Amino acid sequence: MLSKIKWGIHPNTHKTLTEAKPIVCGTLPNLVILPVQQHLGVPCVPIVKKGDQVKKGQLIASSDAPVSSNVHASLSGKVVDISSKPHPYLGECLAITIESDGLDQWEEGVLAERNWQNLEPGAMVELIKKAGIVGLGGATFPTHIKLLPPKEAVLDTLILNGAECEPFLTADHRIMLEYSERLVTGILILKKILAVDQVIVGIEDNKMDAVRVLTKALSGTNVKVQAIPTKYPHGSEKMLIHTVLKRQVPCGQLPLSVGVVVQNVGTAVAICDAVQHGIPLIERVVTISGSAIVEPKNLRLRVGITFAEAIKQCGGLKFNPDKILSGGPFMGAAQYTTEVPVIKGINGILALSKKDLQQGITTNCIRCGRCVSACPMGLNPTMLSTLAEKGLFAEAKEDYHLLDCMECGTCGYVCPAKRTMVHYIRYAKQLSAAKGGKR
């Protein structure tokens, strides 16, 4: 029986723009911009130089750091620049720019057909690491790290996150419908690596077609497909764990502390591609939507393609949008240029009007408590944002659990005063980290 949900919100989903549209393969871009940091952890170091000819799938940046993730060429061509470029989340980052030769040739030896069932778990984790796979739900944590839990950890459950709760985004929905065979293989690979008895695929109940497709595809595997109530932010792994298993991940701890590993459904497909076929993470499915987009689509795009080119492949813009986001409207990041590249963790590009954004005039807090009731982490957002606004970061962190905020934006959505609480909280977390605090 599912846990009763007391937190969260029911925003307008806007998913009808793309949810019934099959994934379309994007056209080959003329160039790609590949930041050396597309993951949480330490940035990679380029192992190619300007003027080098590279092939698709070739390793072009790597790091010996424990927490990092390889970067590969997403097309064949010439390295024309290695310099700082716009980054969707970091502002700017060192990036390798490759100009396409139009041949799209694979690096020799990259593709390799394997029977994963004959491989040992350690060998599969090494293949996943080599392929540069990160969490494709947006977190971008290097996947191989999640698959190497500490020896003292006692795992019993793997959860596949198919909630996709943010408005507009439908990439995971289409992946579950169209890539179900690869998804099943990825799930079974993960099950073998983690050696867990219980595997659950959690899907919000506004995607019952995906529930039916995966239930049929997973028949006979002992993997359970669970429809969960549609409520934002169910895409958060802690919320999903609580709903499905009635387990509460303690403050400041990871799902491992309650015996669980969570992986995104898109990540599982990438794992199948890497382990079974030798394909590194060089493309992903991205929802391109919003009222300013001429023809909203789910596109399979090469990592490194610019937002401008991706939007062009959807017919361009109807009008000048008020905001362009990487990701969803709640947790996405506003962009100052469309020359920013698609990186591994980007699941959406949204071009939105003020009406889409539901913006209003900000007034003083009226102490209604709606943000407290809606907060999935049980925090006091209005107090956190007030402390952040006044520069009282230590008090916010120590007395009001600043670092437990996952920046989901439910507080601002329900606020009748239209206060941008999450922006202040995010600012406080950044300054706290800069002063030596751990995020």
Side-chain angles (χ1 to χ4, degrees), residues 270-396:
I271 285 170
C272 166
D273 292 344
V275 173
Q276 188 159 269
H277 306 295
I279 301 173
L281 183 52
I282 60 170
E283 63 178 6
R284 66 154 299 145
V285 179
V286 180
T287 300
I288 301 167
S289 190
S291 60
I293 300 293
V294 172
E295 188 182 357
K297 296 179 182 179
N298 286 301
L299 287 179
R300 190 167 74 249
L301 297 172
R302 301 295 174 94
V303 172
I305 188 174
T306 64
F307 279 32
E309 177 61 25
I311 291 171
K312 182 180 179 182
Q313 293 189 26
C314 293
L317 297 170
K318 296 178 186 176
F319 55 84
N320 189 31
D322 289 282
K323 191 171 287 187
I324 291 181
L325 299 175
S326 59
F330 283 95
M331 300 189 73
Q335 303 301 307
Y336 68 91
T337 175
T338 55
E339 293 306 313
V340 70
V342 170
I343 62 173
K344 295 177 183 180
I346 288 181
N347 52 6
I349 298 172
L350 304 183
L352 305 176
S353 66
K354 288 182 179 179
K355 184 178 179 181
D356 295 326
L357 295 164
Q358 296 185 326
Q359 293 177 333
I361 298 174
T362 299
T363 59
N364 292 330
C365 174
I366 62 172
R367 297 291 190 267
C368 65
R370 293 182 189 177
C371 61
V372 177
S373 299
C375 179
M377 298 303 293
L379 303 176
N380 187 332
T382 187
M383 183 59 75
L384 280 170
S385 63
T386 299
L387 291 171
E389 190 175 2
K390 294 181 180 298
L392 301 174
F393 306 128
E395 290 87 341

Side-chain angles (χ1 to χ4, degrees), residues 10-16 165-168 329-330 356 358 413:
H10 292 97
N12 188 333
T13 69
H14 299 284
K15 291 181 184 285
T16 54
C165 60
E166 279 232 50
F168 291 98
F330 283 95
D356 295 326
Q358 296 185 326
Y413 182 84

Side-chain angles (χ1 to χ4, degrees), residues 7-87:
W7 44 260
I9 53 178
H10 292 97
N12 188 333
T13 69
H14 299 284
K15 291 181 184 285
T16 54
L17 291 169
T18 55
E19 65 184 355
K21 294 183 177 181
I23 297 167
V24 177
C25 183
T27 58
L28 185 69
N30 292 324
L31 63 79
V32 289
I33 301 169
L34 298 165
V36 298
Q37 184 160 11
Q38 303 188 39
H39 49 270
L40 292 183
V42 177
C44 291
V45 177
I47 59 174
V48 294
K49 62 183 183 300
K50 186 176 178 179
D52 284 355
Q53 294 289 331
V54 297
K55 298 289 183 64
K56 181 169 65 170
Q58 179 179 333
L59 182 66
I60 58 172
S62 65
S63 171
D64 293 329
V67 181
S68 191
S69 184
N70 289 337
V71 177
H72 302 80
S74 55
L75 47 68
S76 62
K78 182 180 180 180
V79 176
V80 294
D81 189 32
I82 301 178
S83 64
S84 184
K85 297 289 185 182
H87 189 285

Side-chain angles (χ1 to χ4, degrees), residues 129-393:
K129 178 181 179 181
K130 183 179 178 182
I133 297 174
V134 302
L136 296 186
T140 68
F141 193 79
T143 300
H144 67 277
I145 303 294
K146 270 192 173 184
L147 303 181
L148 294 170
K151 291 182 180 179
E152 63 272 17
V154 180
L155 298 177
D156 59 38
T157 305
L158 165 67
I159 295 178
L160 277 299
N161 190 343
E164 197 171 40
C165 60
E166 279 232 50
F168 291 98
L169 304 183
T170 60
D172 284 349
H173 186 183
R174 297 309 309 180
I175 283 171
M176 290 185 285
L177 292 175
E178 299 181 53
Y179 299 165
S180 59
E181 184 176 345
R182 290 154 64 196
L183 174 54
V184 169
T185 299
I187 292 171
L188 297 179
I189 289 171
L190 285 166
K191 185 176 187 293
K192 181 175 179 178
I193 290 172
L194 295 170
V196 292
D197 295 324
Q198 181 173 225
V199 182
I200 303 170
V201 184
I203 306 172
E204 284 195 327
D205 58 14
N206 61 351
K207 307 174 187 68
M208 290 307 296
D209 51 353
V211 171
R212 290 188 291 271
V213 166
L214 290 186
T215 298
K216 181 178 180 180
L218 287 161
S219 61
T221 64
N222 290 324
V223 175
K224 180 182 179 181
V225 179
Q226 177 68 66
I228 59 175
T230 297
K231 200 168 190 182
Y232 180 83
H234 248 140
S236 164
E237 58 183 19
K238 290 185 178 181
M239 302 302 103
L240 190 58
I241 290 168
H242 187 260
T243 297
V244 172
L245 298 175
K246 297 184 181 180
R247 299 181 191 177
Q248 186 77 45
V249 179
C251 292
Q253 296 191 36
L254 299 172
L256 285 174
S257 65
V258 294
V260 181
V261 168
V262 181
Q263 294 284 0
N264 172 264
V265 290
T267 308
V269 170
I271 285 170
C272 166
D273 292 344
V275 173
Q276 188 159 269
H277 306 295
I279 301 173
L281 183 52
I282 60 170
E283 63 178 6
R284 66 154 299 145
V285 179
V286 180
T287 300
I288 301 167
S289 190
S291 60
I293 300 293
V294 172
E295 188 182 357
K297 296 179 182 179
N298 286 301
L299 287 179
R300 190 167 74 249
L301 297 172
R302 301 295 174 94
V303 172
I305 188 174
T306 64
F307 279 32
E309 177 61 25
I311 291 171
K312 182 180 179 182
Q313 293 189 26
C314 293
L317 297 170
K318 296 178 186 176
F319 55 84
N320 189 31
D322 289 282
K323 191 171 287 187
I324 291 181
L325 299 175
S326 59
F330 283 95
M331 300 189 73
Q335 303 301 307
Y336 68 91
T337 175
T338 55
E339 293 306 313
V340 70
V342 170
I343 62 173
K344 295 177 183 180
I346 288 181
N347 52 6
I349 298 172
L350 304 183
L352 305 176
S353 66
K354 288 182 179 179
K355 184 178 179 181
D356 295 326
L357 295 164
Q358 296 185 326
Q359 293 177 333
I361 298 174
T362 299
T363 59
N364 292 330
C365 174
I366 62 172
R367 297 291 190 267
C368 65
R370 293 182 189 177
C371 61
V372 177
S373 299
C375 179
M377 298 303 293
L379 303 176
N380 187 332
T382 187
M383 183 59 75
L384 280 170
S385 63
T386 299
L387 291 171
E389 190 175 2
K390 294 181 180 298
L392 301 174
F393 306 128

Side-chain angles (χ1 to χ4, degrees), residues 387-429:
L387 291 171
E389 190 175 2
K390 294 181 180 298
L392 301 174
F393 306 128
E395 290 87 341
K397 180 179 176 182
E398 296 168 11
D399 299 335
Y400 289 91
H401 307 286
L402 169 70
L403 302 188
D404 286 331
C405 173
M406 61 181 182
E407 304 172 22
C408 66
T410 57
C411 52
Y413 182 84
V414 300
C415 179
K418 301 298 181 183
R419 286 174 54 79
T420 54
M421 286 173 272
V422 73
H423 296 80
Y424 283 113
I425 292 170
R426 187 175 292 155
Y427 170 68
K429 289 169 74 174

